[in-house]
Amino acid sequence: MTLGEQLKATNAWTPPWQTEQWWAGTRAPMQQATGLPPAAYADPDFFASEQQRVFEQGWVCVGLAADPSPGRVLVRRLGRRSILITADDDGAVHGFLNTCRHRGTELYEQDCEIGATLRCPYHRWGYGIDGSLRSTPRFDDVPRTDDFDKADFSLFPVRVQAWGVLLFACLSDETAPLETWLGDLPHRMGGYSLQDWQPRLTESVVIDANWKLIAENFAEYYHLQWVHPELSKVSRVEDHYRYQGPGMYLGQTTTPVSGDERDDWLALPAADGLDESDLVSGRFVTIFPNVLLSVLPNHVFVMHLQPIAPGRTVETYTFLLPKNGAHATDEAFESTRTFWIDVNAEDIDIVQRSQRGLSRGGVTPGPLAPRFEEPLHRFHNMLADLMTTDSPGTVSVPAGDDDSEAARWGAGANPTPPAVDQQA
Ligand code: FES
Ligand SMILES: [Fe+2]
């Protein structure tokens, strides 16, 4: 047994990625920064640390705000944990660890109808929708002699909260509230009234790539011209700009989101009431760690990532339509769906290839392109912040872009960037 293995076996091993030194290339200023070492994408020990430090410490997307409903329980994975989500008749959502307070049995294996009671299959302890312990069959056949009180044995609560169309959960009580995590994003995207948009279709695909490669690929438009030659004819690189204020997110916007050559995704009507900027823009936002939002004037395409192994991720995507577009014809919707399936297939192909190169090459990638890959630098630093702490309360939400490049992408929350030919 090597020393490393011995230390690991005795639990005294500190993984290198939990130290700042390991992140030197990430902590460097943008114009000197490099991509992440390949272990971040391929090492099972890194993956285990990440599940714990990112997915058990951060606010993680667990589905859509519309998923919970009264009488139903949802079962979701959060890092190594399983959680349950319920909803009251008045719409309030509750989250709990999926473990019985008697002897720890898993309460539910999958989403199902439960009526008004959560029941353990083992000895039938029953819990209310709010997690309070209500019944303990035959427990008092012989009374306990201590001061056992049902009130002390509610299910362990987990914070669950909706924003817009998304549902988030957080296992750590130390982590800042969701409002802090999201920063100025709700304000920035307030004009869309996303909470009113309706899910039209949800599908899932298993991708042979680390979840971060999918998020990183979504966050940069450097690859547009070469991976999406058709798309780049109408969604030009020159029309993309950064879209980043304070908050645990990264983003780019396309203004105008042009459609003169390929207009198949324009078949649906634009949402009512959008302002001038939202009406002509596409907002492409990654909310750290695992949700990718493409917000167009007439539909939203949400991708939600569930890591299942270092090189494997389940991507669940949902199309949402504004109220006035919810009854669009199947034909109009299908042309939007096909547009995204085509683009997504090109992205899936390239991220799977990235995974193979990182896994088999085994060397740290090179420099990031400052013009296009700054959002990746921001993403990597959010990751580094969580990976190097076990006190998520100390993690600070990053500030947004400064104004130094306002000439390129405009300033303020929803900029209207200067015309391309006036840019530096
Ligand atoms: S373990 Fe749940 S009731 Fe016994
Ligand atoms: Fe892409």
Side-chain angles (χ1 to χ4, degrees):
M1 200 186 259
T2 65
L3 179 62
E5 283 165 344
Q6 279 176 34
L7 289 171
K8 234 163 151 177
T10 57
N11 242 350
W13 181 66
T14 299
W17 39 81
Q18 290 178 200
T19 66
E20 274 295 331
Q21 201 183 357
W22 197 81
W23 300 90
T26 293
R27 295 306 199 191
M30 173 63 228
Q31 281 155 302
Q32 296 161 27
T34 55
L36 300 180
Y41 305 96
D43 187 310
D45 288 328
F46 184 96
F47 184 80
S49 295
E50 189 180 66
Q51 286 291 290
Q52 194 179 339
R53 296 203 158 206
V54 175
F55 287 83
E56 294 175 23
Q57 295 195 124
W59 280 97
V60 175
C61 179
V62 289
L64 299 178
D67 291 346
S69 63
R72 201 168 164 71
V73 65
L74 309 179
V75 182
R76 297 287 181 266
R77 269 286 296 281
L78 215 48
R80 298 164 301 172
R81 311 289 177 214
S82 172
I83 65 164
L84 302 177
I85 300 169
T86 59
D88 281 347
D89 288 333
D90 62 8
V93 288
H94 304 279
F96 317 104
L97 289 180
N98 187 6
T99 184
C100 181
R101 290 302 309 272
H102 177 217
R103 279 173 44 212
T105 302
E106 175 186 73
L107 295 167
Y108 291 92
E109 292 178 315
Q110 58 192 19
D111 298 2
C112 61
E113 301 301 324
I114 53 161
T117 307
L118 294 147
R119 270 194 207 292
C120 179
Y122 205 168
H123 313 98
R124 303 296 286 175
W125 280 25
Y127 302 88
I129 294 302
D130 61 356
S132 57
L133 179 59
R134 298 279 169 83
S135 57
T136 54
R138 303 202 56 174
F139 193 70
D140 294 326
D141 278 11
V142 174
R144 286 180 61 87
T145 55
D146 62 6
D147 52 0
F148 169 75
D149 182 349
K150 286 197 189 75
D152 295 333
F153 292 90
S154 299
L155 295 177
F156 289 109
V158 174
R159 285 188 288 173
V160 176
Q161 199 175 328
W163 169 68
V165 295
L166 303 171
L167 189 66
F168 295 89
C170 181
L171 282 170
S172 169
D173 292 337
E174 247 196 80
T175 303
L178 181 63
E179 289 75 10
T180 307
W181 191 267
L182 295 175
D184 77 341
L185 195 59
H187 164 68
R188 213 171 252 267
M189 304 198 74
Y192 292 96
S193 301
L194 288 177
Q195 67 281 358
D196 297 333
W197 293 47
Q198 306 292 320
R200 172 75 177 236
L201 174 73
T202 296
E203 296 176 316
S204 289
V205 57
V206 177
I207 301 176
D208 286 328
N210 185 269
W211 67 276
K212 295 187 295 297
L213 291 177
I214 303 167
E216 290 173 13
N217 176 69
F218 179 82
E220 56 95 345
Y221 48 93
Y222 190 21
H223 69 279
L224 203 64
Q225 235 169 312
W226 302 287
V227 173
H228 310 295
E230 279 302 305
L231 175 63
S232 66
K233 282 185 200 161
V234 295
S235 182
R236 301 181 314 157
V237 168
E238 293 82 353
D239 297 333
H240 286 63
Y241 310 91
R242 294 223 305 259
Y243 186 71
Q244 302 180 140
M248 293 293 278
Y249 73 93
L250 33 141
Q252 46 173 299
T253 185
T254 310
T255 308
V257 58
S258 38
D260 48 348
E261 282 187 48
R262 182 169 171 166
D263 61 0
D264 37 2
W265 60 272
L266 290 173
L268 299 165
D272 288 335
L274 296 184
D275 70 19
E276 209 180 316
S277 173
D278 293 342
L279 196 56
V280 296
S281 300
R283 318 289 188 196
F284 304 97
V285 174
T286 304
I287 304 176
F288 186 88
N290 72 330
V291 63
L292 319 175
L293 273 177
S294 299
V295 179
L296 283 300
N298 61 352
H299 69 278
V300 172
F301 183 64
V302 181
M303 291 184 281
H304 166 217
L305 308 177
Q306 176 79 54
I308 52 177
R312 185 158 290 190
T313 305
V314 176
E315 178 186 287
T316 301
Y317 52 83
T318 300
F319 295 88
L320 295 124
L321 304 183
K323 259 188 191 161
N324 57 305
H327 303 297
T329 63
D330 287 346
E331 196 186 3
F333 176 68
E334 191 53 30
S335 90
T336 301
R337 177 179 171 274
T338 306
F339 169 83
W340 280 110
I341 298 297
D342 289 351
V343 171
N344 206 26
E346 292 166 344
D347 283 325
I348 290 172
D349 190 51
I350 203 69
V351 298
Q352 293 188 149
R353 209 162 162 151
S354 293
Q355 181 70 36
R356 295 198 296 275
L358 286 158
S359 304
R360 295 171 188 167
V363 294
T364 297
L368 299 175
R371 164 77 170 93
F372 302 103
E373 296 182 305
E374 187 279 345
L376 271 57
H377 186 237
R378 185 167 150 109
F379 180 85
H380 293 163
N381 275 278
M382 291 177 194
L383 184 74
D385 287 350
L386 279 162
M387 289 295 284
T388 52
T389 187
D390 52 13
S391 299
T394 63
V395 169
S396 62
V397 165
D401 295 329
D402 61 31
D403 286 341
S404 63
E405 296 222 42
R408 195 181 290 283
W409 52 74
N414 288 326
T416 302
V420 171
D421 55 10
Q422 290 172 18
Q423 289 178 31

